[in-house]
Amino acid sequence: MITPTFKVDQDDNSVTVVINTPHVRAQDVDLHVHDNEFRFYLKPYFLRLYFPGRIVEDDDAKASYDPSAGQFTVQVAKETKGEHFEDLDLLTKLLARRGEDNAAKQTPKKPLIEVLASESFSGNDEDAPSKEELKDAENFNWELPQQLPSDEPSILLQSANYGFNQQYQHYFTHVHETANDINDITEPEKSTPESRRQARIECENDKFDEDHYCMDYAHQDDIQFLLDYKTVWSKELKRVQRDKKQQTAKPLIQEYDAVNDINMDSLSIADQNESLLKWTEKEQKQMMALPKKEYLLSNQKSTYIGLVDLLFAYSYNHRISEGENTVESVWCIGKLSATLSCLEQFSTVKDAVTACYRRTLAYPLYRTWGLCDKVLMDVYVIFKLGKRAILKALLEMKDLFDHHDIYYVYSKIYLDDYCTWIQNANDAVLRTIAHELHHMKINKEDIPWDLDQLEEIARQMKEMEDQGEALE
């Protein structure tokens, strides 16, 4: 059977499913609606969706077929009129099989994270989570380190565990026979979390180049255009904040003087309230191809913090390429992410961000502290926008790695699972991470590379260079 591409919309009373079924005859169509389950069958296409609320097939239900577009449009009623169905744009969630869900519920397990509806912040600090969110996320102390597993390998284990939720093995058995320039671990299959961390720190210390850092500091004006670049994420956050202010400031009924109140020069065909982060057809196909499964996480906190590391690497590449990926983008993201390059797990947000700064100052082309600070704010903005923005960034990363003949392995062990899992992530926890990032301050003293002294040397070099040019 083929799972067709589709999209879902809703209004107060009904749900509309548009299903793409090209090159078929509109006959012998089987539609089934029961509770929250929707099934569509037309050979060779089969689609089964589970909605977050109950739907019914009543007299208002209808279906139509457009042969020119090759699309079926099916409209079914909501059992509770006015109910809003959450996350209808997260296609992987809709496709998840109920059998897996029921089996997971029947199996005794640790508490999983419940997906909550997104709410606005209140109080003086607009990033501060509400009391309810803090209560829901109280088990996640982002500054409290957790004990790493013992460095002594178990005699029962023949290979190391790594990847998303530490559930993968044997993907790096022959890593030295491939041109994997991202990997920084000498023997990944014989490593432990602690040995990988030590290897990462040693590699970063060896790679840090004092001359490179001084030159970039002395000529940081050359990359000012990168610092000034406005990402699509920052534009979207400004749009959301502007719309929020307009909704709270405008009265329900307004009167306009058609001649004097409207600035005709400012009118535009484009809808200024329209999101800049719409799902593309390519992204929808990616979501449909993701594994449909739930996760019993062994360390939920570490999984969330891994997002910080991945999105920092993504945001650095996004900023220096000004939103246009290059042939170096895969290497850049993979090398800057300690999660990917060193199979790292972090226990605090500050540890993750510190590692991001270290790798940004050691590996890529542009290595300035100001650029690190700017990228950190980019990561904050993505977390502030929520799991849809995070998923969109992850899908872009996954597409880059999927199409590389060596680095595709990182999609298999990390990005595929992250793209599926994030759709069910806890919005309140994501907001607490955004709040943490917004108030995060990394000091140069946190990185033992004598950065202040190097910057003083760079300033003196710059002054001597300027004086030499003046004399000429």
Side-chain angles (χ1 to χ4, degrees), residues 427-446:
D427 291 305
V429 175
L430 295 176
R431 282 195 286 269
T432 61
I433 297 178
H435 178 73
E436 189 78 16
L437 292 173
H438 197 211
H439 297 276
M440 176 70 64
K441 180 64 177 177
I442 303 296
N443 299 312
K444 293 174 183 176
E445 294 76 15
D446 297 328

Side-chain angles (χ1 to χ4, degrees), residues 21-33:
T21 57
H23 316 303
V24 298
R25 294 182 179 180
Q27 58 185 11
D28 299 329
V29 179
D30 182 16
L31 287 173
H32 173 79
V33 175

Side-chain angles (χ1 to χ4, degrees), residues 170-189:
H170 308 304
Y171 277 81
F172 295 99
T173 302
H174 305 289
V175 66
H176 299 298
E177 300 174 11
T178 65
N180 188 339
D181 293 329
I182 288 178
N183 175 58
D184 276 346
I185 307 301
T186 304
E187 295 289 344
E189 297 299 336

Side-chain angles (χ1 to χ4, degrees), residues 89-123:
D89 57 334
L90 302 181
L91 305 186
T92 312
K93 284 185 67 174
L94 297 179
L95 288 167
R97 291 183 295 223
R98 185 167 57 182
E100 293 176 347
D101 184 41
N102 291 340
K105 291 179 180 177
Q106 294 170 4
T107 304
K109 59 185 180 181
K110 299 177 183 178
L112 290 178
I113 294 178
E114 178 184 357
V115 177
L116 302 179
S118 178
E119 298 177 358
S120 300
F121 294 138
S122 60

Side-chain angles (χ1 to χ4, degrees), residues 214-459:
C214 288
M215 290 299 295
D216 278 8
Y217 181 85
H219 300 92
Q220 54 188 322
D221 290 343
D222 295 345
I223 63 167
Q224 186 61 41
F225 71 100
L226 295 178
L227 301 180
D228 295 337
Y229 172 70
K230 304 297 182 184
T231 68
V232 65
W233 314 106
S234 64
K235 294 176 182 177
E236 174 66 7
L237 181 59
K238 287 184 178 180
R239 184 198 67 81
V240 172
Q241 293 172 336
R242 182 180 65 245
D243 292 349
K244 179 182 176 182
K245 290 180 180 179
Q246 290 176 350
Q247 291 172 5
T248 56
K250 286 185 177 180
L252 294 177
I253 300 177
Q254 291 179 292
E255 295 183 1
Y256 286 98
D257 183 328
V259 176
N260 299 319
D261 289 351
I262 300 179
N263 181 0
M264 301 301 292
D265 294 333
S266 66
L267 293 182
S268 171
I269 296 177
D271 183 2
Q272 297 300 319
N273 296 322
E274 190 173 354
S275 173
L276 301 175
L277 303 180
K278 284 187 173 182
W279 299 118
T280 64
E281 182 178 350
K282 181 178 180 179
E283 290 167 339
Q284 291 176 339
K285 290 181 178 179
Q286 283 182 284
M287 283 190 279
M288 291 179 59
L290 290 171
K292 287 80 178 177
K293 58 183 180 181
E294 291 190 348
Y295 297 92
L296 177 58
L297 299 181
S298 58
N299 190 334
Q300 298 179 45
K301 179 181 175 183
S302 178
T303 303
Y304 276 101
I305 296 176
L307 282 174
V308 176
D309 174 72
L310 289 171
L311 292 177
F312 192 100
Y314 165 85
S315 297
Y316 178 93
N317 174 73
H318 184 83
R319 177 166 288 279
I320 67 165
S321 65
E322 297 183 276
E324 298 291 337
N325 291 315
T326 69
V327 293
E328 296 293 333
S329 292
V330 179
W331 177 89
C332 180
I333 294 172
K335 202 65 175 179
L336 291 192
S337 168
T339 298
L340 301 181
S341 61
C342 302
L343 309 177
E344 177 70 280
Q345 278 185 294
F346 296 102
S347 59
T348 71
V349 173
K350 185 169 184 179
D351 284 348
V353 176
T354 301
C356 291
Y357 272 55
R358 287 172 58 93
R359 300 189 72 80
T360 302
L361 298 178
Y363 287 99
L365 178 61
Y366 303 117
R367 310 177 188 179
T368 69
W369 192 269
L371 183 57
C372 290
D373 288 341
K374 199 71 174 180
V375 172
L376 180 60
M377 285 298 99
D378 292 339
V379 179
Y380 153 72
V381 169
I382 296 177
F383 270 95
K384 175 78 170 174
L385 288 171
K387 60 188 174 188
R388 285 168 179 77
I390 296 174
L391 175 57
K392 198 171 181 71
L394 290 172
L395 288 173
E396 184 179 340
M397 293 171 61
K398 170 177 160 54
D399 184 60
L400 289 171
F401 282 86
D402 280 349
H403 291 88
H404 196 282
D405 56 355
I406 296 174
Y407 303 145
Y408 71 90
V409 65
Y410 295 105
S411 280
K412 300 297 184 184
I413 66 175
Y414 280 110
L415 298 177
D416 287 355
D417 291 306
Y418 260 115
C419 288
T420 300
W421 168 80
I422 191 61
Q423 298 181 51
N424 292 283
N426 188 317
D427 291 305
V429 175
L430 295 176
R431 282 195 286 269
T432 61
I433 297 178
H435 178 73
E436 189 78 16
L437 292 173
H438 197 211
H439 297 276
M440 176 70 64
K441 180 64 177 177
I442 303 296
N443 299 312
K444 293 174 183 176
E445 294 76 15
D446 297 328
I447 300 176
W449 291 340
D450 298 325
L451 299 179
D452 287 327
Q453 295 182 19
L454 293 175
E455 290 175 3
E456 180 59 31
I457 294 173
R459 280 192 290 268

Side-chain angles (χ1 to χ4, degrees), residues 462-472:
K462 181 63 174 175
E463 291 175 359
M464 294 173 60
E465 181 179 319
D466 293 341
Q467 290 174 0
E469 291 178 356
L471 293 175
E472 292 178 1

